[in-house]
């Protein structure tokens, strides 16, 4: 059983905080989008307003995380990880960053094209980035949903991989992102 103990093997506190904040926000947003469909109109609208604002917060936090990552190198993976696992991990993380940017952007463009402003938790309105256009709104609605389902699959895969490393490989990989 290999272990990860030295300080260089852990992410920084900022990276760990951003990881968990963004991760929990993404899971909450997936729940808001998927579990509120059958609610009465007013409840659904309130959930979708929270979904949109949370999506914009995720976009901002992701940009901060990318900037942090450019300045602060990630710890190396454990030596016990197989080459294919390293490649899969790099690809999954790259895909996460792509989705964490494209998903909120597609929602923003969709809402702009649908002429439905995004209210950021009652604090201010986020300006539209395109003019009203029903065709664009319809296309972006479909693309946004496809990206959301891709994000859901990636989140499930990420959690499954983390649990595999913790309970099957027992390589303590989770300790790299443990906030405690």
């Amino acid at each position: 059983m290999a272990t990860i103990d030295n300080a260089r093997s852990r992410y920084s506190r900022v990276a760990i905080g951003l990881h968990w904040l963004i991760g929990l926000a993404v899971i909450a947003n997936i729940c808001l989008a998927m579990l509120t469909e059958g609610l009465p109109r007013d409840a659904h609208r309130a959930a979708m307003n929270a979904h949109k604002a949370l999506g914009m917060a995720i976009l901002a936090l992701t940009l901060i995380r990318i900037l942090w990552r450019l300045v602060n190198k990630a710890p190396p993976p454990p030596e016990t990880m197989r080459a294919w696992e390293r490649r899969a991990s790099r690809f999954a993380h790259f895909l996460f960053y792509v989705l964490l940017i494209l998903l909120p952007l597609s929602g923003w463009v969709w809402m702009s094209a649908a002429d439905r402003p995004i209210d950021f938790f009652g604090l201010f309105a986020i300006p539209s980035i395109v003019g009203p256009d029903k065709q664009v709104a319809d296309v972006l609605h479909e693309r946004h949903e496809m990206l959301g389902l891709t994000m859901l699959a990636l989140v499930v895969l990420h959690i499954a991989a983390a649990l595999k490393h913790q309970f099957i490989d027992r390589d303590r990989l989770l300790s790299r992102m443990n906030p405690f």
Side-chain angles (χ1 to χ4, degrees), residues 31-93:
C31 291
L32 281 169
M34 297 183 92
L35 302 176
T36 61
E37 275 305 312
L39 292 179
R41 178 180 237 163
D42 288 342
H44 179 71
R45 185 177 297 132
M48 287 299 97
N49 285 341
H51 173 82
K52 292 182 252 183
L54 193 53
M56 298 309 290
I58 290 168
L59 177 60
L61 290 168
T62 298
L63 295 175
I64 292 167
R65 184 168 182 190
I66 289 169
L67 290 173
W68 183 262
R69 179 72 166 71
L70 290 172
V71 176
N72 298 275
K73 189 176 177 184
E79 295 172 6
T80 56
M81 276 183 78
R82 296 176 205 102
W84 73 266
E85 289 176 313
R86 290 172 192 247
R87 286 190 302 276
S89 175
R90 279 193 302 273
F91 179 71
H93 283 89

